[in-house]
Amino acid sequence: MTNLSTKIAGKTFVALVLSFSILIAGVPAIPGQTAHAATSTATFSDIYATAIKKLGVPYKMGAEWENDRKFDCSAFVQYVFKQNGIKLPRTSKQQSKVGKYVPRNQLKPGDLVFFYSPIHHVGIYIGNGKFIHTYGKPGVTISNLNSGWWDKHYTTARRVL
């Protein structure tokens, strides 16, 4: 076969496999993004201890989690969980699709809380209506989930622990 024939045959095979998996299972055979909490023994205490050490670290839009001297909101969450053996995707929008949905009235410490529509902010719920996150001038800080601004912009939550 020529290279072109091989490429066409390969694409046809992939299309057939996907079509068959949808027909049989009703979903494509493409794995979704998940938090890898099952392989970690992390507890909320571990998450909290890691997060609280970063209070006051400056905010920087687009910062990567590997740089623990500046964070944006999703890099901060990704960093805290990664330090405890839990791999999360990079953006808050992607993070809002991992784990299990949690109704607001059932939040537990360690749950991820998300804001805006479309989602573009994330923090870690720490209990008693508080969450730790980073934004703007305060950098990593603790805020009240039930206060006016955060309360009005709350969107959803996910459990990855």
Side-chain angles (χ1 to χ4, degrees):
M1 271 192 218
T2 66
N3 281 343
L4 180 59
S5 298
T6 303
K7 286 180 183 177
I8 292 171
K11 288 181 180 180
T12 302
F13 177 75
V14 169
L16 285 171
V17 169
L18 285 173
S19 298
F20 183 72
S21 69
I22 292 169
L23 177 69
I24 299 300
V27 294
I30 300 172
Q33 291 185 331
T34 58
H36 300 289
T39 60
S40 174
T41 58
T43 65
F44 168 68
S45 295
D46 301 321
I47 298 297
Y48 182 77
T50 304
I52 206 75
K53 288 178 190 171
K54 297 300 177 181
L55 277 176
V57 169
Y59 174 86
K60 181 183 180 201
M61 176 71 131
E64 294 294 326
W65 70 267
E66 293 95 345
N67 174 8
D68 68 346
R69 286 178 256 131
K70 291 187 179 183
F71 295 108
D72 69 10
C73 64
S74 56
F76 171 67
V77 169
Q78 188 181 37
Y79 170 85
V80 169
F81 279 80
K82 176 77 172 169
Q83 297 304 303
N84 290 284
I86 300 170
K87 184 180 177 189
L88 293 175
R90 172 63 183 93
T91 69
S92 55
K93 184 176 180 179
Q94 293 167 333
Q95 291 171 0
S96 72
K97 296 175 183 173
V98 299
K100 179 183 169 191
Y101 166 76
V102 180
R104 187 170 179 171
N105 65 354
Q106 294 177 23
L107 285 172
K108 290 184 180 178
D111 290 344
L112 304 182
V113 289
F114 298 91
F115 302 86
Y116 301 107
S117 183
I119 290 169
H120 61 273
H121 189 72
V122 61
I124 304 166
Y125 187 71
I126 60 173
N128 297 319
K130 309 278 189 206
F131 69 107
I132 189 167
H133 62 129
T134 186
Y135 73 97
K137 198 73 165 160
V140 177
T141 190
I142 295 173
S143 297
N144 187 337
L145 184 64
N146 301 315
S147 72
W149 199 92
W150 295 111
D151 183 43
K152 290 176 187 165
H153 292 89
Y154 175 88
T155 303
T156 192
R158 305 294 288 191
R159 184 162 297 147
V160 296
L161 287 180

